[in-house]
Amino acid sequence: MGNADYVYPSTNEYCQCAHPVAVPPPQPFFKSFKNSLKETFFPDDPLRQFKNKTPSRKFFLGLQYFLPILEWGPRYTFQFLKSDLISGITIASLAIPQGISYAKLANLPPILGLYSSFIPPLIYAMMGSSRDLAVGTVAVASLLIGSMLGDEVNATENPALYLHLAFTATFFAGLLQASLGLLRLGFIVDFLSHATIVGFMGGAATVVILQQLKGILGLQHFTQSTDIISVLRSVFSQIHEWRWESGVLGAVFLFFLLLSRYFSKKRPKFFWISAMAPLTTVILGSLLVYLTHAEKHGVDVIGNLKKGLNPPSFGDFVFTSPYLTTAVKTGMITGIIALAEGIAVGRSFAMFKHYSIDGNKEMVAIGTMNIVGSCFSCYLTTGPFSRSAVNFNAGCKTAMSNVVMAIAVMFTLLFLTPLFHYTPLVVLSAIIISAMLGLIDYEAAIHLWKVDKFDFVVCMGAYIGVVFASVEVGLVIAVAISVLRLLLFVARPKTFVLGNLPNSTIYRSVEQYPTTNDVPGILILQIDAPIYFANSSYLRERISRWIDEEEDKLKSTGETSLQYVIFNMSAVGNIDTSGISMLEEVKKITDRRGLKLVLANPGAEVMKKLNKSKFIETIGKEWIYLTVGEAVEACNYKLHTCKPDATNEDSQPWNSV
Amino acid sequence: MGNADYVYPSTNEYCQCAHPVAVPPPQPFFKSFKNSLKETFFPDDPLRQFKNKTPSRKFFLGLQYFLPILEWGPRYTFQFLKSDLISGITIASLAIPQGISYAKLANLPPILGLYSSFIPPLIYAMMGSSRDLAVGTVAVASLLIGSMLGDEVNATENPALYLHLAFTATFFAGLLQASLGLLRLGFIVDFLSHATIVGFMGGAATVVILQQLKGILGLQHFTQSTDIISVLRSVFSQIHEWRWESGVLGAVFLFFLLLSRYFSKKRPKFFWISAMAPLTTVILGSLLVYLTHAEKHGVDVIGNLKKGLNPPSFGDFVFTSPYLTTAVKTGMITGIIALAEGIAVGRSFAMFKHYSIDGNKEMVAIGTMNIVGSCFSCYLTTGPFSRSAVNFNAGCKTAMSNVVMAIAVMFTLLFLTPLFHYTPLVVLSAIIISAMLGLIDYEAAIHLWKVDKFDFVVCMGAYIGVVFASVEVGLVIAVAISVLRLLLFVARPKTFVLGNLPNSTIYRSVEQYPTTNDVPGILILQIDAPIYFANSSYLRERISRWIDEEEDKLKSTGETSLQYVIFNMSAVGNIDTSGISMLEEVKKITDRRGLKLVLANPGAEVMKKLNKSKFIETIGKEWIYLTVGEAVEACNYKLHTCKPDATNEDSQPWNSV
């Protein structure tokens, strides 16, 4: 035994085989502090691989940690290149129309969507640890940038300032993302639970689809708000402005896109049909407009796109008030949301291909690509689900497919931009709607309802908040409900009575196991959460009520009166000083009623604190047992040999609060 | 067995004695919803006493619930009256000088301190369930009112508006307190943990003492801020303004008060010396000033106090902007703090005299007394610790001592107010300092450090926040750290390896019980918290690392390779959909490594959700055991008869995120 001084010897006379409950050996404060810091921030022990290595090897491993390309690059084969080439070209064909569409959603010049598919994928290819993530802009973050920056600066009245604010916001988003990764605070993203993301994505998709009514119906004036009521009012108040040419064109293309998606879903082999469909609609739409001159009959087109690669934009950052606050706020919120999507997508595909990605490393990669991107006329990028799924289905092997996409986009920027002059906006709207419909995951919501009602409430809170108020409100509602749930778990822990499973020394919840038998004269309670300040008052009330109810029950049936109360502490992970006070009060209450308080199986942390606060001496160390079975055995032994000594130790003079 | 359909029969071939793990019988949604609402808001089951009673009896019981005087009034005896008379007069002698002092602290007319000791105690005597609480104003809330209202309105420039705002704030405080009680939201007060209150009270006492430097040194100009730096700068920047007469008088009286307190503490029988000391100093001080005409030599006095009872003030409430917001905010914060003090004090003394008080009922009583008080020129009252302790020591029997105090104060208001004309302010300062010194509980802080470092951090956060910034900042810091601790508990749960206690089927933490033995080929992990979205990513990483480390260890020692991973779910109180996804991922990880995942003792909630989400089918119900011992036995049995079947069920086609 490690340190015999701190382990109580067995003092139970009745039975030499009972096991003593150990107080863990004390640790120096700084050692235990270091350990908990390590568990909190480095649960994955990233320095593990550096052990017992030479300094130069350590340096190389460190470089590899931040640039995974150094790891997979040397092992890259021609086979890989072939697969990456195909998938890279496939995602480029999706990236070009999507990039232009999402830039319009953010009220930014369409060309920015192409710029953003050129530089960031190159950075990610070097730094990212996912093999399947395809980098690009996303609808939700684009919409958010549009609505948050739009509150401060009008994009049509002051396009230059608006553009510069978008770069600044992207810069801060990247800064936040990289810092979270470097500071190992990645767990903040975990607070966006699965249920939150389902509701939030569905709500955001609904909002984005509603926004497309402007493009589909060819409306010139439209509300700045994103909530469903404002948008529908805006649409139906100008029925006379609807353009039927635009509407028909949009409906036809949307039908085509949905059909191709449906077909690809039925036959996964033909994934490329749905992947190529957006580019096809763009080409068909542009041709149609070019041939019919529909741009002169109410069908809006993209117009001129500047030829050439990304111009530098690091001189454009706006660091002056009052715009700085808006930029920082927009950057923070969109940065977190983009990060959550990127990491969730990366993790899902990694799980599927049996490799694992490091959340903190991914954050540094995504953050760096946004910082660099913001210096070269890109706005916020991450790993969108749709594009990454296409990448995955196209058989990509490494992040090289991002490089292929970037080269394809570069080629487009250098030579092909004039071809988009006649692309009708309504086609872009159809592309967005078709992509967004896939994000409304009503099946997941039904699953949540079936499995966990609370998660369903979180999900619907996010959805309703996003659709009826705004994207930020929805997010705040969902996170607040989720955190409230955690707090409620601690504030209102389950307590339940245990009974004896027939022919065993096992004690389990009477509710879960209806075959269990009561133990005469003994009440066994299990507390199912740590005992903290937030629940100590509740637990005191609830325990008193359990004892009252048990005594009433025994009185009505005329059975043996209650003599012992055993707390099963197995599930009590920790206790604080308020919790210890609660136990002291419960001890007084039971003493007064002539009951004996017994503890079963307190864990290491709990024993340590009970020892330091002298509660072990108050209760008597002979009343702490290793298992409920041993505690019951000891109580039964004493019950049948002598009455418990109901000491009245609580008549000490009052000294302080 | 209640509902045999939902309990899995034992399908473990190896041993007929293994116990099946039960899925609890399903409950209709509304029934379980009702149950959890009841547990959350009515843990004390207040309607219990109404069961099986006639309607008229029910009505009377209901009335008794809100007016406990109907319960103890009929049993009131002459013996009780004698005790209550003595204690009532004792607390009145403390209430009068303290009331005047604290009103000065809130920048309110001194007479308000007397008003506030007249009406509210009468209300509380009818509605309160504590027998020991003595009602009155408190220093911390007074200071807070002074500083919060002072930010909006200057008390010397616009005294009428300031006074009306104080009534309005008190009204809202009462409204909040009563509503919290009626809505059974009393647990909000529980979030002010013991550690928070120790730090907060100590900090507030320090701030209050610093404020008294103005009175002691006889300064005319003083900073509006309450932080230590501003106050000390203000004091030391005007050394030439210090009045030695005032300083000497203050020091002498303070010495006398502290001496009496020290003496009373040594000999509890002479508690009345320290209880009477404040009134004695007031009388001595007033006599001294009257005889020496010191008021003309730099010793400030109270001056004229209006004769007569409380004038009505319900016409004075300010419900117009911009003042309404300030009043509401001040009311909310001071109301919560006053409530916390009142309930903590009531609970402590009740615990000591072996009766219990109902937190929600107390809130309604304290709230009502503040609502009524605010209509009759009283400001915020609660149950101050010092006065209640004196009441308790003086041997009070019921809330009748509050009535006696109120009558004594009424007598003072009607006839004795002119006597306070010559009372020097410096005496009031000395009384406040002497009372506040008792609130700085450094011994409690040392105890916190010894028992629970985190609680100590919370305590110091509150103290430093209050002293160096402001009362609100300190409170926010402490509550934020406390809540962060709860979240961290869930976000970073302890996981540990279990080993076998020699010669038993008991499995316990290897760290806590160093005598335990490893089980060859089996890794047993215990998860010590509910599996929620906030920890599912962490747990996945941590579990992978445990498996890695175990395999490394086995490899280095050349032992049997790892075959089974058993999760002891005893301490997992609940699981959400993110948690279930995590388990599914872990199942895939273990499958891929050729390991078999086994669950031991999942609780009712967990089994219900694993069943609904079909995870039980994924893992196989024969791999869920009731105890770790049975799981190990089964694994050992299979380990020695056949290899586990490492199925690769994870090659299904990708369908959705």
Side-chain angles (χ1 to χ4, degrees):
Chain A
M1 208 169 283
N3 196 330
D5 289 351
Y6 293 91
V7 178
Y8 289 118
S10 168
T11 55
N12 306 302
E13 312 136 31
Y14 76 98
C15 170
Q16 286 305 318
C17 63
H19 300 86
V21 176
V23 179
Q27 280 194 324
F29 171 62
F30 282 103
K31 197 181 155 199
S32 65
F33 184 67
K34 208 182 108 194
N35 270 345
S36 31
L37 274 193
K38 197 188 149 195
E39 280 300 321
T40 307
F41 294 105
F42 300 93
D44 52 344
D45 197 7
L47 300 177
R48 202 154 163 255
Q49 49 169 332
F50 291 97
K51 261 182 210 156
N52 313 320
K53 295 279 156 61
T54 61
S56 66
R57 181 82 194 135
K58 269 186 190 163
F59 175 77
F60 183 70
L61 281 174
L63 210 62
Q64 248 187 12
Y65 179 83
F66 286 106
L67 297 173
I69 198 173
L70 295 178
E71 196 188 326
W72 57 263
R75 289 184 278 113
Y76 200 72
T77 64
F78 183 68
Q79 279 299 322
F80 283 4
L81 183 64
K82 236 171 63 186
S83 305
D84 286 339
L85 213 57
I86 295 174
S87 49
I89 290 171
T90 314
I91 52 176
S93 78
L94 185 67
I96 295 164
Q98 267 194 358
I100 296 173
S101 320
Y102 294 161
K104 291 288 293 180
L105 203 57
N107 289 327
L108 290 165
I111 192 80
L112 247 75
L114 297 184
Y115 290 161
S116 301
S117 290
F118 171 45
I119 302 263
L122 293 176
I123 308 283
Y124 186 81
M126 290 188 290
M127 300 185 68
S129 51
S130 167
R131 300 175 202 155
D132 303 281
L133 207 73
V135 168
T137 54
V138 278
V140 177
S142 301
L143 179 77
L144 252 179
I145 289 178
S147 81
M148 291 184 75
L149 293 186
D151 285 346
E152 186 73 29
V153 178
N154 192 311
T156 45
E157 286 169 13
N158 201 344
L161 178 60
Y162 184 87
L163 183 67
H164 297 171
L165 272 184
F167 293 147
T168 318
T170 304
F171 174 75
F172 281 113
L175 209 61
L176 171 77
Q177 293 168 334
S179 319
L180 284 181
L182 288 174
L183 298 174
R184 309 203 57 87
L185 294 173
F187 62 83
I188 287 175
V189 172
D190 295 341
F191 276 80
L192 299 175
S193 67
H194 175 62
T196 307
I197 289 180
V198 168
F200 176 76
M201 283 292 172
T206 309
V207 165
V208 170
I209 291 174
L210 286 171
Q211 292 286 314
Q212 301 318 311
L213 289 176
K214 183 189 177 196
I216 295 277
L217 299 173
L219 297 175
Q220 297 300 321
H221 306 289
F222 207 67
T223 173
Q224 288 286 326
S225 311
T226 60
D227 63 294
I228 190 167
I229 293 167
S230 308
V231 170
L232 289 185
R233 184 182 297 147
S234 178
V235 167
F236 285 101
S237 67
Q238 38 184 341
I239 292 184
H240 52 283
E241 303 270 344
W242 292 8
R243 301 266 172 89
W244 68 266
E245 303 94 335
S246 181
V248 168
L249 208 62
V252 168
F253 282 122
L254 183 59
F255 180 75
F256 170 71
L257 286 166
L258 291 179
L259 197 72
S260 72
R261 222 161 62 103
Y262 176 80
F263 188 71
S264 292
K265 227 177 183 174
K266 281 267 160 178
R267 308 251 175 118
K269 254 177 85 181
F270 296 107
F271 71 87
W272 53 268
I273 294 184
S274 103
M276 291 293 178
L279 194 62
T280 316
T281 55
V282 165
I283 295 171
L284 286 179
S286 308
L287 271 178
L288 198 73
V289 171
Y290 181 73
L291 296 176
T292 62
H293 290 289
E295 82 273 17
K296 290 172 188 156
H297 300 93
V299 175
D300 288 327
V301 294
I302 291 182
N304 270 331
L305 283 186
K306 226 176 67 185
K307 248 188 193 178
L309 295 183
N310 305 17
S313 63
F314 41 78
D316 297 338
F317 291 151
V318 185
F319 290 141
T320 53
S321 106
Y323 305 115
L324 184 62
T325 335
T326 313
V328 171
K329 204 180 129 204
T330 310
M332 297 282 148
I333 294 184
T334 55
I336 286 279
I337 290 174
L339 204 56
E341 179 163 1
I343 287 178
V345 167
R347 217 171 240 165
S348 309
F349 287 100
M351 184 57 55
F352 206 69
K353 279 200 185 167
H354 308 322
Y355 64 94
S356 69
I357 63 166
D358 176 339
N360 288 307
K361 205 197 278 187
E362 277 295 284
M363 289 185 192
V364 176
I366 293 179
T368 312
M369 91 186 176
N370 277 317
I371 293 176
V372 176
S374 69
C375 298
F376 293 96
S377 301
C378 303
Y379 78 102
L380 195 65
T381 49
T382 180
F385 174 67
S386 53
R387 204 178 291 188
S388 304
V390 168
N391 196 21
F392 175 84
N393 277 318
C396 68
K397 294 288 175 211
T398 65
M400 191 55 83
S401 61
N402 275 307
V403 177
V404 175
M405 172 180 75
I407 293 171
V409 170
M410 181 185 78
F411 190 72
T412 310
L413 279 170
L414 287 176
F415 308 110
L416 307 180
T417 45
L419 298 183
F420 294 104
H421 185 278
Y422 289 100
T423 306
L425 294 185
V426 65
V427 166
L428 300 183
S429 292
I431 292 172
I432 293 181
I433 293 180
S434 134
M436 289 300 109
L437 280 175
L439 289 184
I440 304 181
D441 195 354
Y442 59 93
E443 283 171 359
I446 294 172
H447 179 76
L448 289 178
W449 168 260
K450 274 192 198 148
V451 175
D452 193 325
K453 305 283 184 282
F454 213 113
D455 269 355
F456 179 76
V457 171
V458 169
C459 173
M460 289 318 289
Y463 185 85
I464 291 172
V466 170
V467 171
F468 285 89
S470 73
V471 173
E472 303 99 296
V473 169
L475 204 64
V476 168
I477 290 177
V479 171
I481 302 178
S482 306
V483 169
L484 191 71
R485 176 192 202 164
L486 296 188
L487 293 181
L488 257 183
F489 175 85
V490 180
R492 288 289 180 268
K494 280 257 163 72
T495 50
F496 42 81
V497 172
L498 302 188
N500 184 217
L501 275 192
N503 308 318
S504 77
T505 54
I506 302 172
Y507 293 81
R508 286 292 180 270
S509 159
V510 173
E511 258 175 70
Q512 193 182 358
Y513 298 90
T515 48
T516 51
N517 301 320
D518 291 352
V519 189
I522 304 176
L523 173 65
I524 311 168
L525 287 177
Q526 170 151 344
I527 300 165
D528 231 10
I531 305 180
Y532 276 155
F533 62 93
N535 61 24
S536 52
S537 299
Y538 166 78
L539 279 176
R540 195 189 41 232
E541 300 284 334
R542 196 64 187 84
I543 288 169
S544 304
R545 203 175 118 211
W546 276 120
I547 297 176
D548 285 343
E549 287 176 353
E550 183 72 12
E551 288 198 328
D552 284 2
K553 204 182 88 187
L554 291 181
K555 222 174 270 170
S556 68
T557 57
E559 282 179 69
T560 341
S561 69
L562 197 58
Q563 302 278 12
Y564 295 95
V565 179
I566 301 177
F567 287 168
N568 181 11
M569 310 280 281
S570 304
V572 179
N574 209 334
I575 193 166
D576 69 356
T577 51
S578 305
I580 295 172
S581 306
M582 187 279 284
L583 283 183
E584 282 164 356
E585 289 173 16
V586 167
K587 172 85 173 89
K588 281 186 192 164
I589 293 172
T590 49
D591 278 352
R592 207 183 317 141
R593 291 170 163 232
L595 302 173
K596 200 77 211 168
L597 186 66
V598 185
L599 299 187
N601 193 24
E605 275 298 312
V606 174
M607 275 307 273
K608 208 156 73 186
K609 286 186 188 155
L610 293 186
N611 185 38
K612 278 185 192 156
S613 64
K614 315 270 180 230
F615 183 72
I616 292 185
E617 289 160 33
T618 311
I619 193 176
K621 59 190 172 194
E622 67 278 17
W623 292 106
I624 302 178
Y625 292 90
L626 186 63
T627 67
V628 176
E630 289 180 1
V632 170
E633 203 183 324
C635 293
N636 267 333
Y637 174 82
K638 305 214 178 181
L639 204 57
H640 295 124
T641 49
C642 57
K643 288 269 161 195
D645 44 346
T647 46
N648 265 312
E649 294 159 26
D650 47 343
S651 45
Q652 301 134 349
W654 172 268
N655 22 31
S656 80
V657 178
Chain B
M1 207 170 283
N3 196 330
D5 289 350
Y6 292 90
V7 178
Y8 288 118
S10 168
T11 55
N12 308 301
E13 313 134 32
Y14 75 99
C15 170
Q16 286 305 319
C17 63
H19 300 86
V21 175
V23 180
Q27 280 194 324
F29 172 61
F30 283 104
K31 197 180 154 198
S32 66
F33 185 67
K34 208 183 106 194
N35 268 347
S36 28
L37 274 192
K38 197 188 150 195
E39 281 299 322
T40 308
F41 294 104
F42 301 93
D44 52 345
D45 197 7
L47 299 178
R48 206 157 159 251
Q49 49 169 331
F50 292 97
K51 260 183 212 156
N52 313 321
K53 294 280 156 59
T54 62
S56 65
R57 182 81 195 134
K58 268 185 190 165
F59 176 77
F60 183 71
L61 281 174
L63 210 63
Q64 247 186 12
Y65 180 84
F66 285 108
L67 296 174
I69 196 172
L70 295 178
E71 196 187 327
W72 57 264
R75 290 184 279 113
Y76 201 71
T77 63
F78 184 69
Q79 278 301 320
F80 282 5
L81 183 64
K82 236 172 64 185
S83 305
D84 285 340
L85 213 59
I86 295 173
S87 49
I89 290 170
T90 315
I91 53 176
S93 78
L94 185 67
I96 294 164
Q98 265 194 359
I100 295 173
S101 320
Y102 293 162
K104 292 286 295 175
L105 203 56
N107 288 327
L108 289 166
I111 192 79
L112 246 74
L114 297 184
Y115 291 159
S116 302
S117 288
F118 171 45
I119 301 264
L122 293 176
I123 308 283
Y124 186 81
M126 290 189 290
M127 301 185 67
S129 52
S130 167
R131 301 177 200 154
D132 303 281
L133 205 75
V135 168
T137 53
V138 280
V140 176
S142 302
L143 179 79
L144 251 179
I145 289 178
S147 81
M148 290 184 76
L149 294 185
D151 284 346
E152 186 72 31
V153 177
N154 191 312
T156 44
E157 285 169 14
N158 199 345
L161 178 61
Y162 184 86
L163 183 67
H164 297 170
L165 272 184
F167 295 146
T168 317
T170 305
F171 174 75
F172 281 113
L175 208 61
L176 171 76
Q177 293 168 333
S179 320
L180 284 182
L182 288 174
L183 297 174
R184 308 202 59 87
L185 293 172
F187 62 84
I188 287 174
V189 172
D190 295 340
F191 276 79
L192 299 175
S193 67
H194 175 64
T196 307
I197 290 180
V198 167
F200 177 77
M201 284 292 173
T206 309
V207 166
V208 171
I209 291 174
L210 286 172
Q211 292 286 316
Q212 300 318 310
L213 290 177
K214 182 189 177 195
I216 295 276
L217 299 173
L219 298 176
Q220 298 300 322
H221 306 288
F222 207 66
T223 173
Q224 288 286 329
S225 311
T226 60
D227 63 293
I228 191 165
I229 293 166
S230 309
V231 170
L232 288 185
R233 185 182 295 148
S234 176
V235 167
F236 286 100
S237 66
Q238 38 184 342
I239 292 184
H240 51 284
E241 302 270 344
W242 293 9
R243 301 265 171 89
W244 68 267
E245 304 93 334
S246 181
V248 168
L249 208 61
V252 169
F253 282 121
L254 184 58
F255 181 74
F256 170 70
L257 286 167
L258 292 179
L259 198 71
S260 73
R261 221 161 64 102
Y262 177 79
F263 189 70
S264 292
K265 225 175 183 174
K266 282 265 160 183
R267 307 250 176 121
K269 253 176 87 182
F270 296 108
F271 72 89
W272 53 268
I273 294 185
S274 102
M276 292 293 178
L279 195 61
T280 316
T281 54
V282 166
I283 295 170
L284 287 179
S286 307
L287 270 178
L288 197 73
V289 170
Y290 181 73
L291 296 176
T292 61
H293 290 287
E295 82 273 16
K296 289 174 188 155
H297 302 92
V299 176
D300 288 327
V301 294
I302 290 183
N304 271 330
L305 282 186
K306 225 176 67 185
K307 249 189 193 177
L309 296 184
N310 305 18
S313 62
F314 40 77
D316 296 339
F317 291 150
V318 185
F319 290 141
T320 52
S321 107
Y323 304 116
L324 185 63
T325 334
T326 313
V328 170
K329 201 179 131 204
T330 311
M332 296 283 148
I333 294 184
T334 55
I336 286 279
I337 291 173
L339 204 56
E341 178 163 2
I343 288 178
V345 167
R347 215 170 243 166
S348 309
F349 287 101
M351 184 58 52
F352 207 68
K353 278 200 184 165
H354 307 324
Y355 64 94
S356 70
I357 63 166
D358 176 341
N360 288 307
K361 204 195 281 186
E362 279 294 285
M363 289 184 193
V364 177
I366 293 178
T368 312
M369 90 187 179
N370 277 318
I371 293 175
V372 176
S374 69
C375 297
F376 293 96
S377 301
C378 304
Y379 79 102
L380 195 68
T381 49
T382 181
F385 174 69
S386 54
R387 206 180 287 187
S388 304
V390 168
N391 196 22
F392 174 85
N393 276 318
C396 67
K397 294 288 176 214
T398 66
M400 191 57 83
S401 61
N402 274 307
V403 177
V404 175
M405 172 179 76
I407 292 171
V409 170
M410 181 185 77
F411 190 72
T412 311
L413 279 171
L414 286 176
F415 308 110
L416 307 179
T417 46
L419 298 183
F420 293 105
H421 184 278
Y422 288 100
T423 307
L425 294 184
V426 65
V427 166
L428 299 182
S429 292
I431 292 172
I432 295 181
I433 293 180
S434 135
M436 289 300 108
L437 281 176
L439 289 184
I440 304 181
D441 196 354
Y442 59 91
E443 282 170 358
I446 294 171
H447 180 75
L448 290 178
W449 169 260
K450 273 191 197 150
V451 175
D452 193 325
K453 305 283 185 283
F454 213 112
D455 269 355
F456 179 76
V457 171
V458 170
C459 172
M460 290 317 290
Y463 184 85
I464 290 172
V466 170
V467 172
F468 284 89
S470 74
V471 174
E472 304 99 294
V473 169
L475 204 64
V476 167
I477 290 177
V479 171
I481 302 179
S482 305
V483 168
L484 191 71
R485 178 195 200 161
L486 295 188
L487 294 182
L488 258 184
F489 176 84
V490 181
R492 288 288 180 268
K494 281 256 163 72
T495 49
F496 42 80
V497 172
L498 303 187
N500 183 216
L501 275 191
N503 308 318
S504 77
T505 55
I506 302 172
Y507 292 80
R508 288 290 180 271
S509 157
V510 172
E511 259 175 67
Q512 193 183 0
Y513 298 90
T515 50
T516 51
N517 300 320
D518 291 352
V519 189
I522 304 176
L523 172 66
I524 312 168
L525 286 178
Q526 170 150 343
I527 301 165
D528 231 10
I531 304 180
Y532 276 155
F533 62 93
N535 60 25
S536 52
S537 298
Y538 166 78
L539 279 176
R540 194 190 43 231
E541 300 284 333
R542 196 64 188 83
I543 289 169
S544 305
R545 202 175 119 211
W546 277 120
I547 297 175
D548 284 343
E549 286 176 354
E550 183 71 13
E551 289 197 326
D552 284 2
K553 205 181 88 187
L554 290 180
K555 219 173 275 172
S556 67
T557 57
E559 280 179 70
T560 340
S561 70
L562 197 58
Q563 301 278 12
Y564 295 95
V565 178
I566 301 176
F567 286 168
N568 181 11
M569 309 280 281
S570 306
V572 178
N574 209 336
I575 193 165
D576 70 355
T577 50
S578 304
I580 295 172
S581 304
M582 187 280 284
L583 283 183
E584 282 164 356
E585 289 172 17
V586 168
K587 172 86 173 86
K588 281 186 193 166
I589 293 172
T590 50
D591 278 351
R592 204 181 322 140
R593 289 168 165 235
L595 302 172
K596 200 77 210 167
L597 186 64
V598 185
L599 299 187
N601 192 25
E605 275 298 313
V606 175
M607 274 307 272
K608 208 155 72 187
K609 287 187 186 154
L610 292 187
N611 185 37
K612 279 185 192 155
S613 65
K614 316 271 180 227
F615 184 71
I616 293 185
E617 290 162 31
T618 310
I619 194 175
K621 58 190 175 195
E622 68 277 16
W623 292 107
I624 302 178
Y625 293 90
L626 187 63
T627 66
V628 175
E630 288 180 2
V632 170
E633 204 184 323
C635 293
N636 267 334
Y637 175 81
K638 305 214 179 184
L639 203 56
H640 297 124
T641 50
C642 57
K643 286 270 161 194
D645 44 346
T647 47
N648 264 311
E649 296 159 25
D650 47 343
S651 46
Q652 301 131 351
W654 173 268
N655 22 31
S656 78
V657 177

